[in-house]
Amino acid sequence: MPDNLGGGMVEPGCWFRVGSGGTHFAFARTVATNDGEDWLDQAHALRMQTRFGKAAAGVVIRRRLEHRGTRVSPPIDLIEPLHLVFGAPSEQWRHLYANGGTTERYYPASAFCTHEVTRLHGSLMIESHPEGRSSNLHLTLLISTTAHRGGETGLFCGLEWSGEWYWRWESLDGGRRCQLVGGVKVNGLRLEPGEVLELPPVHLGFFTGGLWAGTNALRRYLYEQVCPRYEGRPVVPRVSYNHWGGIYNDYDIDLMRREAQRAAALGVEIFVLDAAWFQGDFPDGVGNWDDADVNRRKFPEGLEPLADFVRHLGMGFGLWFEPERAVEGTTVLRQHPEWLVPVPSRGKSSFHLNLAQPEAQDYLIKMVGEWIERLGLAWIKWDYNIEPRPFWNRVDPSGKIQFAYMTGLYRVLDTLMGKYPQCVVEQCASGGRRLDIGTMKRAHTFWISDETHDPLNCRLMQARANRFLPGHLLNSAVMVARGRGDIGFDDAAVLGRMMGWLSFYGDIASWSDALTGRMAQWVRVFKAMRHLVVRDFYQLLPMPRALEDWHALQFVSPAKDEAVIFVFAGTTGGSQKVKLRQLDPEANYRLARQPGGAPRTIPGGQLMEEGLRIVLNPDEGALWHLGVVDE
């Protein structure tokens, strides 16, 4: 580890901890090079091998814990791949973290709610949910800042891990110093002689400035250093359709053809067939993945005719899977019961696939790969509607099973993405409940929440999640219930889903031609500005807490030559002044409301210092585009 980590913010040490029964094992450094270190605990015959990978504005720390003894290791209760001590007093730090991607049917929803903590005395802990999915309680990312050498300096951190975890800040020496630890939750884990654990890589970055500087440093790091590319290019959000919300199990090929025709008229780029294309529908048919399992009542000739029809309309075709789970009576359970572990469930018994087994990994690679090839899939939705904690407990309550499982899961996803680079991977876990750096490296976007009914909540969740994540990771949809028609759909409804990946859900075929035309106009606007949602992000007004509150946010290019601002009025409407961020004060900007508003030219300094006066009707939403005027 560089001695001057974080510009001297971090005190020297081994920067990790392993322990048992409240005691930290004593490791001594035996090897030190520019890109790595080895540490040895002679008393317990444990070796920690560390390698440092430098990235722009960050470092990736990879550790391997090896048992070098001749007998089984003592029980290990503490595995912390990161342990940093800081000389700055704990009350000088500010910390920012967020809730995970849950589903609440009230406003404002709790999903992705951000929390700022200052003047910390004692400890602050964020962690995975007790049932085991990584972001069911909190996002796995943390941003912290402090005054340092006359300015404000900060760090962001995250574990590349989809299992159980925690981050904890703690005061030391009565608050004069403090420490940050990041760990994996284990309980009496033992290593066999010669056994090696690959610990979750730690992603750590440093920046100067306050928490907003941290937000954009983290977003840039994730987008440029972590997130995969699509066909060799950085990902920008696309426009997609998914049938599930509003239609659910009740559909057939004739309905899907009508939805596909309407999706094409909107300008949709990818059409996704969600769950229930198989015998048994959802959830009872989960595990029926063979071609012979296709529901022939809905698709008499299989899925190929629909895939061909969608492509004929100029869209890519996508398909839903939930491959880590199976329900009693389904094909995969009948054929390979040795791969599946029973877990508690409602209704029919559910089983968790054990991806610690290489044979189960090979099966998923083959099964999903064959569907991609057979249907020419441009998209797979990888869902995970099951809590892993009962599975961990049944197989290995010490938690060691997580390491082999994550190795297996990542191998499956890495293999599929490497073999099929033309196929977009959308991750889902009953919404955004497994959204972490481990899955971010293996997905092009995420379904962020199963709350997709209320446009106010959808807007709020996308905006909050942008505080930590580049917008291309954030998929939310305009959801149309079966036969709903035009009722309740306006500009604000679609604008509230344009801060990430824009999707349409359900029975869009019930829309009138007039509403379809208006939504198609917004799709064209979105395609013209979507490259900006992966750039820097700012909240221009406080996050709404009540229906009366206005909401305003901005995306801006690093060169400061282009930006978009979203503004949403509260229930009372009226006038609001909004001050923009990070523009060039010396430049003139062409400002135009979208779509088709008359442009005007305003100096950047005026937009930042005096602000933009905006008048909107109650509950109205609006979008403005800004571009530098060439002299």
Side-chain angles (χ1 to χ4, degrees):
M1 180 77 76
D3 291 334
N4 196 36
L5 183 68
M9 295 171 61
V10 181
E11 295 185 359
C14 68
W15 293 309
F16 68 87
R17 293 197 303 197
V18 178
S20 177
T23 300
H24 301 144
F25 296 161
F27 284 84
R29 185 162 58 186
T30 58
V31 176
T33 66
N34 289 334
D35 61 355
E37 301 171 341
D38 281 5
W39 296 75
L40 183 64
D41 170 27
Q42 291 186 338
H44 301 99
L46 293 173
R47 176 193 184 206
M48 185 70 82
Q49 185 181 53
T50 300
R51 294 295 177 263
F52 309 123
K54 294 182 181 179
V59 61
V60 182
I61 306 169
R62 304 182 186 275
R63 304 194 193 274
R64 302 173 76 247
L65 181 62
E66 177 186 1
H67 181 33
R68 309 185 76 180
T70 58
R71 299 180 180 179
V72 68
S73 75
I76 297 173
D77 302 314
L78 182 80
I79 296 180
E80 294 177 340
L82 189 70
H83 169 233
L84 303 180
V85 177
F86 301 88
S90 60
E91 69 172 16
Q92 290 185 4
W93 286 85
R94 294 192 296 159
H95 309 286
L96 187 73
Y97 64 97
N99 295 354
T102 49
T103 302
E104 293 90 23
R105 299 286 164 82
Y106 54 78
Y107 181 83
S110 299
F112 301 107
C113 182
T114 56
H115 306 273
E116 184 175 335
V117 174
T118 58
R119 301 185 63 82
L120 176 66
H121 295 274
S123 65
L124 165 68
M125 183 165 172
I126 65 172
E127 59 186 325
S128 56
H129 191 275
E131 292 300 314
R133 284 189 285 189
S134 62
S135 60
N136 202 358
L137 183 61
H138 296 124
L139 282 184
T140 65
L141 303 165
L142 180 66
I143 304 172
S144 302
T145 65
T146 187
H148 180 66
R149 295 181 177 175
E152 197 164 4
T153 303
L155 63 90
F156 59 78
C157 54
L159 291 176
E160 189 177 321
W161 183 244
S162 306
E164 298 186 285
W165 60 275
Y166 59 87
W167 288 109
R168 188 173 64 249
W169 277 93
E170 294 178 314
S171 298
L172 300 174
D173 302 331
R176 292 188 296 276
R177 298 158 66 234
C178 57
Q179 65 182 9
L180 169 65
V181 294
V184 177
K185 295 181 180 180
V186 295
N187 180 28
L189 177 155
R190 292 179 182 268
L191 298 179
E192 298 295 329
E195 187 174 5
V196 174
L197 283 186
E198 298 282 350
L199 303 190
V202 176
H203 292 251
L204 186 65
F206 295 89
F207 58 89
T208 57
L211 291 176
W212 276 110
T215 282
N216 288 310
L218 173 57
R219 283 167 53 91
R220 287 192 293 269
Y221 176 81
L222 294 174
Y223 187 62
E224 296 169 4
Q225 305 297 327
V226 171
C227 295
R229 296 191 166 208
Y230 177 71
E231 294 186 325
R233 299 183 298 275
V235 176
V236 293
R238 298 170 76 183
V239 184
S240 62
Y241 168 87
N242 183 302
H243 92 265
W244 186 252
I247 293 178
Y248 309 108
N249 288 306
D250 185 20
Y251 66 93
D252 59 19
I253 188 169
D254 292 333
L255 177 61
M256 288 299 98
R257 282 176 170 148
R258 293 197 297 273
E259 303 297 346
Q261 289 172 325
R262 180 53 52 85
L266 285 171
V268 164
E269 294 160 301
I270 301 178
F271 183 97
V272 181
L273 185 67
D274 205 277
W277 51 267
F278 37 76
Q279 294 288 344
D281 286 345
F282 180 85
D284 292 346
V286 172
N288 285 332
W289 307 123
D290 288 0
D291 182 49
D293 295 325
V294 172
N295 189 319
R296 298 291 165 164
R297 179 184 61 81
K298 298 177 181 181
F299 301 98
E301 300 177 58
L303 298 178
E304 287 83 353
L306 179 61
D308 291 342
F309 184 76
V310 166
R311 278 192 294 273
H312 177 73
L313 292 171
M315 299 179 290
F317 184 65
L319 195 63
W320 177 97
F321 300 91
E322 191 186 349
E324 296 167 76
R325 180 166 74 108
V327 175
E328 180 181 7
T330 56
T331 298
V332 67
L333 185 61
R334 291 196 310 269
Q335 293 178 348
H336 298 288
E338 70 278 12
W339 297 343
L340 291 134
V341 177
V343 292
S345 62
R346 301 173 185 172
K348 285 189 176 182
S349 298
S350 284
F351 296 77
H352 200 299
L353 186 68
N354 186 356
L355 281 179
Q357 300 185 36
E359 298 81 6
Q361 302 166 26
D362 293 340
Y363 160 75
L364 286 194
I365 293 169
K366 182 174 184 292
M367 182 272 289
V368 176
E370 286 180 347
W371 278 112
I372 294 173
E373 293 174 10
R374 180 182 298 126
L375 300 177
L377 294 180
W379 178 298
I380 59 172
K381 182 170 183 176
W382 188 288
D383 212 339
Y384 184 61
N385 296 304
I386 191 169
E387 302 288 3
R389 165 50 64 181
F391 165 61
W392 308 142
N393 286 343
R394 186 177 287 269
V395 177
D396 179 6
S398 76
K400 187 166 71 171
I401 180 64
Q402 295 181 81
F403 295 88
Y405 189 92
M406 295 310 158
T407 297
L409 174 64
Y410 297 160
R411 177 196 166 222
V412 170
L413 292 167
D414 287 341
T415 301
L416 289 170
M417 293 186 74
K419 189 174 182 180
Y420 305 106
Q422 80 286 357
C423 192
V424 171
V425 176
E426 179 188 24
Q427 285 283 344
C428 177
S430 308
R433 300 172 194 252
R434 194 170 67 173
L435 205 177
D436 52 73
I437 292 180
T439 50
M440 282 181 221
K441 286 188 71 172
R442 297 160 177 94
H444 301 99
T445 192
F446 286 77
W447 181 245
I448 61 171
S449 174
D450 280 348
E451 166 46 46
T452 191
H453 300 75
D454 186 345
L456 298 183
N457 272 332
C458 292
R459 173 209 312 167
L460 198 62
M461 290 185 293
Q462 268 197 338
R464 288 169 170 171
N466 266 292
R467 191 73 202 266
F468 288 84
L469 306 170
H472 77 289
L473 295 177
L474 310 176
N475 190 7
S476 186
V478 179
M479 197 278 280
V480 187
R482 188 71 175 268
R484 178 68 180 270
D486 296 1
I487 300 172
F489 298 99
D490 55 17
D491 289 355
V494 67
L495 274 171
R497 278 86 159 190
M498 284 173 53
M499 295 170 276
W501 204 292
L502 174 61
S503 290
F504 296 89
Y505 237 37
D507 192 12
I508 56 175
S510 69
W511 278 350
S512 68
D513 290 343
L515 182 59
T516 300
R518 182 63 177 173
M519 291 295 181
Q521 192 174 31
W522 277 118
V523 167
R524 291 191 291 273
V525 170
F526 175 75
K527 289 178 179 179
M529 53 73 63
R530 58 186 169 185
H531 60 285
L532 290 170
V533 303
V534 298
R535 300 305 179 188
D536 288 355
F537 169 78
Y538 294 95
Q539 286 283 348
L540 303 180
L541 294 173
M543 192 65 68
R545 296 182 179 275
L547 294 174
E548 297 80 12
D549 295 339
W550 284 52
H551 193 187
L553 53 95
Q554 172 187 351
F555 295 95
V556 58
S557 67
K560 304 180 181 181
D561 60 344
E562 188 180 15
V564 287
I565 58 171
F566 292 78
V567 183
F568 301 90
T571 52
T572 57
S575 175
Q576 184 74 245
K577 180 175 284 190
V578 177
K579 293 184 178 180
L580 276 58
R581 302 282 300 271
Q582 286 299 107
L583 302 180
D584 181 350
E586 304 301 322
N588 289 320
Y589 287 84
R590 182 180 182 271
L591 174 72
R593 183 170 174 175
Q594 304 298 309
R600 49 183 170 144
T601 300
I602 305 178
Q606 179 179 332
L607 288 168
M608 290 190 292
E609 295 170 12
E610 300 178 19
L612 181 66
R613 176 66 65 180
I614 294 172
V615 179
L616 295 177
N617 296 319
D619 296 320
E620 185 180 6
L623 174 73
W624 283 265
H625 177 268
L626 297 86
V628 168
V629 178
D630 294 331
E631 298 296 338

